[in-house]
Amino acid sequence: MQRTLILLKPDSVQRRLVGTLIHRFEQKGLRLVGMKLVQASRELAEQHYAVHKGKPFYESLLSFLTSGPTVALVWEGREAVAVARGLMGATDGTKAPPATIRGDFALSVQNNLVHGSDSVENATTEINLWFSAAELVSWQPADANWVG
Ligand code: DAT
Ligand code: MG
């Protein structure tokens, strides 16, 4: 079982896509173990996107992530990191295939609705950045034997 951090970034909230996007992850069979609405501070955004520091789009990216509320989610399941990345599609909305979140709802590179951890190691770091241990709930879905 893996856990991954998903952010429904401020454009998801502004565009009233929160319910639709949560449904994508639920439908796949991932189980929700953490969820909250966060107004990201500059400090949190800097930590979250530390890997992109120095890139030309870095300042714009921080402004975007701090521009309004973000829904932070932790999803659990078999191969959850790669599965969630697959549901999201490529970074650039114009290159993401249909039936992915970005393929269906995004044209932009920056305003691409979702963040998803890109490795198991980064998932652990990012989950710890956005959530305290007490905010995560372990539970056993009633249909676990059917969904896997
Ligand atoms: P992803 O979100 O698919 O993991 P990433 O980690 O490479 O993509 O980049 C983080 C975010 O930064 C991405 O969601 C959108 C923005 N971004 C990436 N490359 C960009 C670029 N060339 N111009 C503008 N924004 C960019
Ligand atoms: Mg990334």
Side-chain angles (χ1 to χ4, degrees):
M1 280 293 169
Q2 291 176 3
R3 286 181 174 183
T4 190
L5 180 84
I6 297 295
L7 302 178
L8 307 182
K9 297 189 280 193
D11 51 343
S12 294
V13 179
Q14 295 288 354
R15 293 175 58 191
R16 300 177 174 82
L17 285 169
V18 169
T20 300
L21 300 186
I22 287 177
H23 191 214
R24 297 284 182 119
F25 296 94
E26 257 191 331
Q27 250 180 335
K28 181 65 177 171
L30 295 170
R31 75 183 68 155
L32 186 59
V33 300
M35 174 160 76
K36 63 181 175 181
L37 188 69
V38 181
Q39 171 56 58
S41 65
R42 166 97 192 182
E43 188 190 2
L44 177 60
E46 280 178 0
Q47 287 179 273
H48 179 75
Y49 278 133
V51 68
H52 296 299
K53 189 167 183 176
K55 294 185 184 168
F57 57 85
Y58 178 69
E59 281 302 325
S60 173
L61 188 58
L62 294 194
S63 299
F64 167 58
L65 189 60
T66 57
S67 66
T70 289
V71 177
L73 306 161
V74 179
W75 294 95
E76 184 179 82
R78 203 160 66 79
E79 299 294 332
V81 171
V83 165
R85 295 283 295 186
L87 293 174
M88 290 160 52
T91 305
D92 182 344
T94 65
K95 302 200 167 51
T100 65
I101 289 170
R102 289 160 170 174
D104 286 353
F105 299 106
L107 267 177
S108 173
V109 176
Q110 177 182 271
N111 301 358
N112 60 9
L113 299 165
V114 279
H115 167 83
S117 307
D118 62 6
S119 69
V120 175
E121 190 189 2
N122 287 342
T124 303
T125 305
E126 292 175 0
I127 290 167
N128 290 334
L129 179 62
W130 287 82
F131 287 89
S132 68
E135 290 171 325
L136 301 174
V137 180
S138 294
W139 58 286
Q140 194 60 24
D143 62 0
N145 289 340
W146 296 94
V147 177

